[in-house]
Structures are given as structure tokens and as C-alpha cells.
Amino acid sequence: MKRLLWLWLASALLVPPASHAGETTPDLTALVQRAFDRTLHAPGVRSLELRVHRSGRLVSRRAFDLAYRRDADGAQSLLRFTAPTWLRGHALLVLGTPAGTSDTWLYQAEERRPRRVGATHKADAFYGSDLSFEELEHPRFEHWTLREVGSADAGCAACTAVEATPLRESQYGKLVVWVDRVREAVARVDFHRGEDPGPYKRLRVSLDGVEEEDGFLRIAHMRIEQLGRDAWTDVETARMT
């Protein structure tokens, strides 16, 4: 299984990603999809670290390499842990489809076999962080219901707020996405569960001083927090190739 995972990683690096040159944003779907792709789904390999905080204290760190590519048939990502030592050999493979669904497989070295992450477990915390398995999937917003709900600063001068309601099974009733129209980037995402009036979690993306390369943004820092609790996870990018 390890050999198969590494072969997949090699193929992801060797096959050129789909070009985004000349893309426009003629409607709300294109605006949101382009912002997500530019901000969160750059092709290639990134080295990331999750820094998990509880009650103001750093309680754990997890580091991994993430390879990502996207084409007309869907998106694929392979995550392999590099730290701490006891997590080395653990891997996550996410296979997206044109229909907007994702097939997610978890490989744990001690079990020596992959297991599928079923729909009932996609809301589970990802290795003790404030991310869930669902947040590691690859949304295709043509399969969501979108509507503009106004503008708000959300830390940026020219943001449009878009309410996104999933048409497939999800732990979330809706997302509210703040799109920076100048940078064509995601500045913030609020995650709502069920009919709750307020968000359950919030993702904040640091866009100050962000650099662009080949149509994608090099995001150095993000934070996902559980609102109403003193709990958050910082996502730091150490390397991006």
C-alpha cells in the first residue's frame, strides 16, 4: 500500500495541472469556485503544520506533506504525515468526482490497510484538530445553491459575502463565504450547522502580503476556530512547490 501511495504521489507531480489561464468570473458560482481554487487548492506539493490550541495553550502539532491536482474528471489529494514520529506512515487520499462527491480513504501504518471514511465519520475531528475530514474534501460549487448576502469587511476592503448551501449530505446546513474581489481569494468562511442562527466554526485566511504564482496564492497562515470555545487550530505553510 505504501508503494501504491507513493506511485500516486509521483504521478500527481508529473501530470500537468489543468490551466486556469484566461478564466473569468461571469457568475456567482465561478467567483466562489475560483476564489477557493486560488486560495486553498493550488496544484503541486505543500508542507503544512497544524498547531492545535486549547484554552490559549499549544497542545499538539501535526506536520504533513499535501499533494494536490485537479482536472476535468475531479480533484485528487494525498496527505502524508511527517511529524510527530508516531504518525509517520499515516496517509489520507481524497478522490473527488465531477458530481461534487468525494471518496476519502485513510491509511494507518499499524493497520497495514486502507479504510474508507464513511459519511457518518466525515464530521469527526481530523487527528485532534479543529478541522474535520469534510473540510479536506474538494467542493465543486456548481453542485451548491449560492446567493449573495451582501458585503462585509471581514478583514478586507472589498469583500462579497456568499451563502452556500450544499445539495449533498453534509454536517453543515450552509457556509457563508467572504470573497475578496480584488485578490479573487477566500478571506473567511463561516460554517453553520442545521438551523442554528450563528456559525459553529470559522476559517480566517491571512491575505496581507500574500504572493501570487502561476494564478494561485501562496497562503502562509490560516486559522480555524470553534466559536464559543477557546479552541482553534493554526494552519502554517512551511513550503509550497
Side-chain angles (χ1 to χ4, degrees):
M1 181 62 198
K2 286 185 180 181
R3 184 170 181 273
L4 289 175
L5 286 170
W6 278 114
L7 285 173
W8 187 91
L9 175 58
S11 68
L13 297 179
L14 291 173
V15 177
S19 174
H20 287 245
E23 272 194 1
T24 60
T25 56
D27 55 27
L28 207 54
T29 300
L31 173 70
V32 175
Q33 188 69 64
R34 179 166 172 79
F36 261 80
D37 289 346
R38 279 170 50 82
T39 308
L40 303 174
H41 299 135
V45 180
R46 286 175 285 168
S47 297
L48 299 107
E49 183 178 60
L50 304 181
R51 300 176 184 174
V52 183
H53 293 77
R54 296 292 180 265
S55 301
R57 295 175 51 249
L58 175 64
V59 297
S60 66
R61 296 186 179 196
R62 280 94 171 86
F64 53 85
D65 290 336
L66 176 66
Y68 178 88
R69 61 169 291 218
R70 190 172 208 144
D71 55 32
D73 295 324
Q76 305 92 40
S77 60
L78 176 66
L79 181 156
R80 286 184 58 89
F81 281 95
T82 56
T85 303
W86 63 272
L87 279 180
R88 290 179 182 171
H90 288 226
L92 186 78
L93 180 64
V94 182
L95 304 174
T97 70
T101 59
S102 292
D103 204 9
T104 304
W105 294 84
L106 180 66
Y107 179 77
Q108 295 173 302
E110 60 272 17
E111 294 184 5
R112 297 187 178 182
R113 63 181 180 85
R115 64 178 177 86
R116 191 179 185 194
V117 179
T120 57
H121 294 288
K122 290 189 177 183
D124 293 353
F126 178 67
Y127 283 87
S129 73
D130 297 291
L131 290 162
S132 71
F133 284 92
E134 185 172 342
E135 274 100 75
L136 300 173
E137 295 181 349
H138 317 122
R140 296 184 71 111
F141 286 99
E142 65 265 34
H143 302 290
W144 294 59
T145 298
L146 304 178
R147 70 183 183 96
E148 188 172 338
V149 291
S151 299
D153 78 23
C156 69
C159 278
T160 294
V162 179
E163 183 182 274
T165 304
L167 298 178
R168 59 175 177 79
E169 185 176 359
S170 172
Q171 65 180 300
Y172 300 116
K174 67 179 181 182
L175 311 181
V176 179
V177 183
W178 275 263
V179 177
D180 184 324
R181 297 190 305 274
V182 175
R183 298 183 177 97
E184 296 182 291
V186 174
R188 186 175 111 189
V189 182
D190 284 357
F191 300 82
H192 294 252
R193 278 186 167 172
E195 300 298 324
D196 293 345
Y200 160 67
K201 286 198 299 192
R202 175 171 292 151
L203 172 69
R204 297 183 184 272
V205 181
S206 297
L207 294 175
D208 290 342
V210 68
E211 297 179 356
E212 182 172 338
E213 184 175 319
D214 296 328
F216 296 90
L217 303 176
R218 300 177 69 91
I219 304 298
H221 173 79
M222 298 183 289
R223 173 173 290 185
I224 188 160
E225 55 187 328
Q226 297 191 50
L227 301 178
R229 294 184 56 195
D230 196 3
W232 72 89
T233 297
D234 289 324
V235 184
E236 308 284 347
T237 302
R239 180 178 61 91
M240 181 174 169
T241 58

